[in-house]
Amino acid sequence: MKYYLLSILTRCGEFEFYKDVSIKVESDDDVSKAARKVVCDWYDDGDPGGRDGPDADGVYWYDNGNDVRCDRITEISKSEYEIFQKYSI
């Protein structure tokens, strides 16, 4: 098992927001695919037609006008992952 910290960038008009999300991925799985799944489900309101993408840069566009992408992927330790999960940071 490997652990990662994803830096998710959301753009809403002229504003940009970052949120760090910790995930765990099986050792033989591709972390890029796992990151795209997180971005794809960022605004999961049950409407599969509520988003377009990803484009060539991995950006998803949503009906609410926002676009979301994974800006950075950092491998972290299991203990760091547990801290992120416990404190939702």
Side-chain angles (χ1 to χ4, degrees):
M1 192 72 60
K2 291 188 175 187
Y3 304 90
Y4 297 92
L5 187 64
L6 310 178
S7 182
I8 306 296
L9 170 62
T10 302
R11 289 187 183 160
C12 178
E14 62 189 56
F15 300 101
E16 293 184 348
F17 305 94
Y18 278 96
K19 179 169 178 151
D20 289 331
V21 177
S22 56
I23 63 170
K24 62 181 175 180
V25 179
E26 293 292 331
S27 297
D28 56 342
D29 287 346
D30 182 15
V31 67
S32 297
K33 287 182 183 178
R36 283 195 180 215
K37 175 82 172 121
V38 169
V39 172
C40 177
D41 294 340
W42 196 250
Y43 293 111
D44 187 10
D45 61 359
D47 177 14
R51 67 178 173 261
D52 294 320
D55 64 12
D57 295 323
V59 177
Y60 283 84
W61 298 86
Y62 291 87
D63 285 349
N64 64 6
N66 293 352
D67 68 271
V68 180
R69 76 177 76 213
C70 181
D71 201 42
R72 184 179 52 237
I73 300 172
T74 307
E75 190 168 354
I76 58 176
S77 68
K78 182 178 180 180
S79 60
E80 289 171 315
Y81 169 80
E82 290 170 349
I83 290 169
F84 275 98
Q85 290 295 302
K86 182 175 181 179
Y87 296 106
S88 298
I89 57 174

